[in-house]
Amino acid sequence: MRDSFLSVRTLLRLRGWTVFLNLEHHRSDKKSISIDLVNTSIETDHTDYATSSIDFSCKACTTGTMVVVAVNNDKKDFNLFPQLTCEQRGCCWSPLDTPNVPWCFFSSNHGYTIFTNCSFFITAELSRMPSPSLFGADIQQLSFHAEMQTSNRLRFKVTKKRFEVPHEHINTVTSNPSTPISDALEITNEPFGLIVRRKENKKVLFDTTFAPLVFADQFLQLSAKLPSHNIYGLGEHVHQNYRHDTNWRTWPIFTRDAFPNGGTHNLYGHYPFFLCLEDNSGKSFGVFLLNSNAMEVTLQPAPAVTYRTIGGILDFFIFFGETPEQVVQEFELIGRPVIPPYWSLGFQLSRWNYGSLSEVKKTVERNRAVGLPYDIQYTDIDYMEEKKDFTYDKVNFKDLPTFADYLHEKGQKYILILDPAIATSKLIGDVAYGSYDRGTAKNAWVTESDGKTHLVGEVWPGETVFPDYTSQNCIDWWVDEYDRLYKEVKHDALWIDMNEVANFKQGSNKGCSVNKLNYPPYTPRILDDLMYSKTLCMDAKQAWGNHYDVHSLYGYSMVLATEQALQRVFGGNRTLMLTRSSFPGVGKYSGHWLGDNGANWNDIKWAIPGMLEFGLFGIGADICGFFDDSSEELCRRWMQVGAFYPFSRNHNAEGYKPQDPASYGASSLLVATSKHYLSIRYTLLPYLYTLFYKAHTSGDTVVRPLLHEFYSDSDTWAVDRQFLWGKYLLITPVLDPGVDRVQGYFPDAVWYDYETRERLGQRKTHVELFLPADKLGLHIRGGAILPTQEPDVTTTHSRLRPMGLIIALDDNNQATGELFWDDGDSRVKKNGVCVSFQNVLAMDVTNAGYSDPNNLKFETITVLGVPHAPSAVFVIHIGPGGASDPVEIKNTSIHHDAVKEALDYQRVDCHPEENSNEAECKKRGCLWEVSAAENVPWCFYPEDYGYNVLNYAETATACSFSLTPLFFSASLPRSPILNPILKLTYSHVLLIQIWDPSTERFEVPVPLTVPSTPESDEDKRLYKVSVTESPFGIQVVRKSTGTTIWDSSMPGFIFSNMFIQISTKLSSKFVYGFGETEHTSFKHDLDYHTWGMFAKDQPPGYKMNCYGVHPFYMGLENTGDAHGVLLLNSNAMDVTFQPTPSLTYRTIGGILDFYMVLGPTPEMVVQEYTSLVGRPVLPAYWSLGFQLCRYGYANDSEIENLYTDMKKAGIPYDVQYADIDYMERQLDFVLDSEFQGLPALVDRMRAEGMRFIFILDPAISGNETNYPAFEKGVAQDVFIKWPKELGDGIVWGKVWPDFPNVTVDEDLDWETQVQIYRSYAAFPDFFRSQTAAWWHQEIKDFYTNVMKFDGLWIDMNEPASFVHGTVGGTCLGENLLEFPPYMPPLESKHEGLKHKTLCMNSEQILSDGKRVKHYDVHNLYGWSHTKPTYDALLDVTGKRGIVVTRSTYPSSGKWAGHWLGDNYATWDQLYKSIIGMMEFSLFGIPYTGADICGFFNKADYEMCLRWMQLGAFYPYSRNHNGKGNPRQDPVAWDDRFATASKDVLNIRYTLLPYLYTLMFEAHTQGSTVVRPLLHEFTNDKTTWDIHRQFLWGPALLISPALDAVCSTIQMLDFFFYYFFKHLTQDVGVRGKWLTMQTPLERINLHVRGGYILPWQKPESNTKLSRKNPLGLIVALSDSGTAEGSFFWDDGEGIGE
């Protein structure tokens, strides 16, 4: 500190002092400094503080990455003696409670050492280190060889002379590497390990040094750390998500005939390949293990991967790519995908067991008759004679030899099936089965272990033998048999199935011998845990080796043999091969389908990850499902998405009803939508065919995950419910039943709706798409040129039709594209034409090897994104002789749709109610135009629909005028008020008020602080106001920038008695606020989303109106300036956002009373807003401590035990709650018999520094014989009643209080419980002064006579009732108030406004004696409840304390904090809590938080721990859950959870002086506490859309983990220091996204450079921590300076 200068000045206050610190420092290393206030005394009016040296450090303890030791199959023995077995293997034993984590893991003395090492390429001899054996037969000496085969491909191989995969396309290791290896591979010794790095940045990609290599005869294991959790691939399995779960998930790989039913078991193919996306730079790598033995792959949270295989060698290939797509291209190692014939991209129909050829033809004819685009018909094994290959049923399929001709006449194709298994029995009539006999003569079959006896099993035809496709004799036989079949039964392509290889016997009809091949010492976690289950014995012999080694190559070898057969038969023509079993490399010859799926909604979802994975392995599911009957809805939705499978086939099993489209009826919606989307498919086949050509020549993917194109956007990394065709076509299907709205993610690009051609208004966000029963989401990416062709019912006919182009302009008005075109059949690769398209429009023919005989032309060119009609369009032909003169296209050939370019953004909904139709719309004088764009209203106002201005008068401080309506239709359900008055009042707050001068209307009785004198000097105002007279509108312009921030000159302004509507254009699409409703993002989606506002007992849910009402928003202008707008109206209302951008308000009563604050910064907007509605309350210091609550404590002993356990665990903890359990039958102010010990417990806890908070609900039971609260309430007339004209009695509801002398049966349904157990309840009218006095006295009596408390929690004050309106459900008076002419889109709105609350006709009395309807003040009930509660708390306790309320309204924050309601224990509620906090920061209620770990439902361990970490940085930090669910407090789990909770809460308590200072600044200045990043970094527009990180004040950045199985997060960083572990370490980047490691025990915290944070050593509660020394964290800025502030007082005193 010798070169630092620290100046401190104090500012004494009545009850505390503030210290402002400025530090100037001139160190060159820019490291932060921890400053202790050593031997420094600062005097205040009540205490001295002095500190000696303070050691402040946060240490994170991380355990090593565990690698599970494989367990012997004899699980009984292992489970009996697990520790002994583990230790005998020389391994470490450490039991854990965490699921999936191994207890037995390797020590450091396992593995191999290196004896030789070369520098250019690497070869080595490995020697096994002495250590116990896992499974015996360890190989002591191994060879290692590694080389860079290309600049982007590394191969390393650990081997001995053993079985190696005889892959026809992969070369053996050469001795001439192309690139030096030293930059990519590092070898370590003792134990041997290798580290693969990315050569350009040295990033470690694959690190095996943390776990030993195991290489035994039948057990090989290798583990490697990976750089990220973004892992994709491995197969074949059903992966329910595309991105892998790395929480100890094990995936077996071994080909198997099994159902893809969603389990983790092995399926048809064998793919030990995965891709890893390293970070948002796009850099990726792939890992391929060339090994065909049974194996398993375990993904671990490190992140890491462990391979275990039981044979062969370790032969790894690492592919380096700059992008994920490039990695797939590098996987050309296995062979580039086949380019299929053009016709094979058409739609296909199949089913198992049509029964006869006549039934097949009926299917063909009925689908032809409906005009279905349809190219291919299949027959399954039922065409065969007794299911025998190379035969056909001469009875039921007697005309099969001519069936292909029948299809060809209409341009269709025929495909049949062959299985590998060959029957041993004769044909019908005892005729020799020639195929079997010839194969036997050729010795073509797999043999038993003796190498001679044919292995016999059983498949579909009965007893069978199995061709050995690895034998040349077998290949020759197979080719010959296929040639014979083709000559008899013509067809166009071949489908091969059951080639895993499948066997209905276990191994053989003799069983299998007991030996090490059939029963290896270790069996991976394959299905049935038996090697030969449903296949052949592992000791069977094939030409390539033991079936043990080549089992997973069976399908691969069959594909190679079949390719030879197809070439023999089809010669120079392309055909299609389709295989079920596959291995890397089969794609060079064959396609694949995803197997025998089911007709269910899971399988339609899981097909997309499957397709994406086979794009990596380098496809489609059986449309409508193979097994089970498909519902019409499921099949309809599946036909829609299946139209965009590369392999598009509808196929189902025998015994189930037909599911071809026409079987659902020619006029069915399914047929209509199938035809529609198949026609789109056929239109786009030139694009799809070009994608296949690119895959064939460059290795590109056809079906593509979004992350391949938008890898820098982390939101795409887990998207697997959408997919792309190539770069440009985005498919968003409906994958759930009963759904017509889907959230689709649209990355940062221009997007156009394919069907409407309209430009989407959103990007880089989730968009809700309206997809009714006949629709699927289909969008074109800007920048695309898509070749098209006019569709027909077959490709044979469509290829004769004119071609076209769809040009979708990007942000720069540019686009590019490609087309490959040939005859669609020829195998000759150069016989084609390649055309590339570029902007303006230039076509560049890069290869001209094909001349289309039909002389096709591009007849239709559609350009999307052209805002104005072109004045002229010219065509220039560029030929061999040069360019021709421009030829102008006639105007009659050009059509410009200006409406679609305008995107229908201007429409204001004229029929926001349901059941809109054209006739009703036009009756209202509105316009009707159907739009296919999502959410766009079809009924909308004409431009002149509104009011005119009359009698305009203006002064220096205000203007006023009356309004007269323009044309209004008499058919409107609301009649306009003829002459409303508008007044504008100018000051730093702009007031806009519109009311009816002829009738007194309700106005909100919430006092606001507005300037007593308006501002008459226009130069001092930040805005300028103008008025449009016809139709009426107000424009507010920010003078400094010219930005219009309010413009209500939009159509549809209506002012009527029970319906008021006004719309305004917004300054930008960046709008925040409005509540209380669950929002999925902080920034609003402006795509016609409507949000209802009406206080309700409603747990958070999408578009559900919740507890409070806040008609306030902040608008962020494109310049970075900000403004805020409050509508002071307490009636039920809604707001609708339009993409213009614009906003429509609708309210059903009161007046329009707008208040506008001009900022100009976001933080100043909140400061000005809280100056208007009231500054937030300063909570007591102790209320910033951690708090525990639970609904469902059985007695006071449970609370006592919890308190004891928390103390024992040493977890910081300040506040304990009691929910309504403490009450006798849920009666306010009455203690339950089970809690008689609670007062003494509270006294003891408070003496030890704890605080207690109790709950109070407003509802008071009226069914008691001796209940003073009710009796005194009646005497003092405090309860809400009916108006005198309706009876003047209490309006009874039902809430929690029970009838006396009942035993509640909680097994009954809820409605029955309410009816028979809940007592009648009265609701206090807190507007009345006598009610406040009554409430105050009841609280005081409870505090004095029953037990002490420190704060109060008020709940159910929306107000909530368990009956609708009143007991019996019949509200007195006219029903119009319960069911107004316009009902906002509220939860259960069909039940009326009375749903779960009081009747709207109920009467309340304001403090001035004015009688009002509950209809007008319902949303103010919680507000009216809060101040009397706060006043009572301060008076009764004499301390500041805290009040927490559920229902809020603007200015509630003056007296209380708020929790975000009865949330759910789900991950989405975790991240949405940040949005909720940030919104309540805008609303001026900074003391906010969500119920940590969720209120409803059982909490998950990982989620709850992540929530504890996030919740440690809620201003209001409380863990609270609901009755009937397991405990979720920090000591309810395990030691790991308790320790992690303790660690993060210690950080909170350390920083409480900083948090308290922020609360003080909020109280005095209106600043935010929880702060969105955009408040501090407004100049960086990336922050405008961030809601997964937040700040405490300006200086502490919180970046929590918010997703399951997440060990890294993406965070946006500026100049911050690590807080958690490396306090002196500068993050090192500014304004960029970083991938941060986030292990389960950690949350990422960063201190911003340039700031000073006060801190204090933590203790178990704040009473103790406040006695500890204080310290400062000083984080220097770039200039070496820092500043901060500090407020300190006694923490609970009352005063200024």
Side-chain angles (χ1 to χ4, degrees), residues 332-508:
E332 68 175 335
L333 168 83
I334 61 170
R336 290 274 166 80
V338 63
I339 181 168
Y342 194 92
W343 53 262
S344 71
L345 303 183
F347 180 62
Q348 312 180 28
L349 278 180
S350 176
R351 77 167 293 161
W352 172 24
N353 202 357
Y354 282 109
S356 68
L357 188 60
S358 62
E359 186 61 33
V360 179
K361 288 185 175 181
K362 285 181 183 177
T363 302
V364 173
E365 291 298 334
R366 67 172 173 248
N367 285 281
R368 284 177 177 175
V370 299
L372 186 79
Y374 160 41
D375 262 82
I376 301 169
Q377 179 62 51
Y378 286 71
T379 56
D380 207 322
I381 56 174
D382 42 296
Y383 82 85
M384 303 173 183
E385 180 181 313
E386 295 183 326
K387 303 182 179 66
K388 291 182 172 72
D389 275 359
F390 310 115
T391 70
Y392 71 95
D393 184 339
K394 305 297 193 298
V395 177
N396 295 312
F397 286 81
K398 63 183 178 63
D399 294 328
L400 193 64
T402 62
F403 181 58
D405 295 333
Y406 159 79
L407 291 172
H408 292 168
E409 289 175 0
K410 299 292 186 180
Q412 294 174 299
K413 305 292 184 180
Y414 171 44
I415 297 179
L416 51 71
I417 192 171
L418 288 175
D419 289 343
I422 301 297
T424 60
S425 59
K426 293 184 178 182
L427 300 177
I428 295 172
D430 204 30
V431 175
Y433 181 24
S435 297
Y436 170 70
D437 294 340
R438 288 185 291 271
T440 301
K442 280 272 195 180
N443 197 23
W445 317 130
V446 175
T447 68
E448 295 180 4
S449 60
D450 61 6
K452 299 176 182 178
T453 307
H454 300 151
L455 186 147
V456 178
E458 180 182 322
V459 196
W460 294 116
E463 184 178 272
T464 60
V465 290
F466 299 89
D468 177 10
Y469 296 104
T470 70
S471 159
Q472 188 59 49
N473 285 346
C474 177
I475 295 171
D476 294 342
W477 162 82
W478 182 255
V479 172
D480 180 64
E481 294 301 318
Y482 183 65
D483 189 32
R484 291 169 183 262
L485 173 66
Y486 181 77
K487 289 174 180 176
E488 189 171 12
V489 179
K490 294 292 187 291
H491 54 276
D492 299 287
L494 183 61
W495 166 25
I496 54 178
D497 195 6
M498 304 293 287
N499 52 348
E500 291 73 31
V501 56
N503 181 6
F504 297 166
K505 295 288 187 181
Q506 297 289 62
S508 76

Side-chain angles (χ1 to χ4, degrees), residues 5 72 174 236 389 532 802 824 1073 1173 1180 1200 1214 1219 1281 1287 1294 1431 1494 1568 1615 1654:
F5 173 76
N72 190 296
T174 71
E236 181 175 8
D389 275 359
Y532 53 80
V1173 301
E1200 183 175 20
D1214 260 85
D1219 207 320
K1281 296 181 177 181
K1294 290 194 172 192
D1431 291 343
T1568 57
F1615 181 15

